[in-house]
Amino acid sequence: QVQLVESGGGSVQAGGSLRLSCAVSGYTDSRYCVAWFRQAPGKEREGVAAIDRGGSTSYADSVKGRFTISKDNAKNTLYLQMNSLKPEDTAMYYCAADLWVEYPLGIDEYMYWSQGTQVTVSS
């Protein structure tokens, strides 16, 4: 059974930084796809950043240059470093995983999801 447990959310002022972590268990090796998604109140869930099976990364345009996704295969942990945070980054953040996906930032691509953690950025 694949499980994802995330941590690291919180409140920060605009311009600040936060790092989210997501511990992944249940896979026998490190060759799986992972991603971060977010959902703001009244909006649809959207892809933020992803790492595919080969280790290539992809980012939503809105976070390029500010967010960095990384994965520690030894610890089976996914990270999202968020810098230069803006009020519009305020949302519930989720990590997701699956063995293979066609579109790494596609919300319908992933089977396994975390419980979500709140990120609030004040102006």
Side-chain angles (χ1 to χ4, degrees):
Q1 179 72 19
V2 175
Q3 292 186 323
L4 290 80
V5 179
E6 67 175 304
S7 58
S11 297
V12 65
Q13 289 191 327
S17 298
L18 281 174
R19 189 177 81 157
L20 304 182
S21 300
C22 176
V24 183
S25 61
Y27 285 114
T28 56
D29 62 39
S30 62
R31 290 174 295 175
Y32 51 88
C33 307
V34 287
W36 290 98
F37 291 80
R38 67 185 180 186
Q39 187 167 19
K43 295 188 176 181
E44 293 185 353
R45 192 171 297 189
E46 63 175 356
V48 175
I51 300 178
D52 66 17
R53 286 174 60 94
S56 296
T57 58
S58 53
Y59 294 91
D61 288 343
S62 59
V63 306
K64 281 181 182 177
R66 300 188 298 120
F67 290 12
T68 302
I69 188 172
S70 61
K71 182 167 165 272
D72 186 331
N73 290 328
K75 296 181 178 179
N76 288 321
T77 301
L78 175 69
Y79 301 98
L80 184 68
Q81 178 66 44
M82 304 183 292
N83 298 328
S84 301
L85 282 161
K86 304 175 180 180
E88 51 263 44
D89 294 317
T90 295
M92 187 73 77
Y93 283 71
Y94 303 86
C95 56
D98 211 323
L99 278 178
W100 184 87
V101 302
E102 185 173 4
Y103 302 107
L105 292 178
I107 185 174
D108 296 327
E109 299 280 344
Y110 294 86
M111 180 177 296
Y112 302 104
W113 292 81
S114 67
Q115 77 282 5
T117 189
Q118 179 67 38
V119 170
T120 302
V121 184
S122 58
S123 57

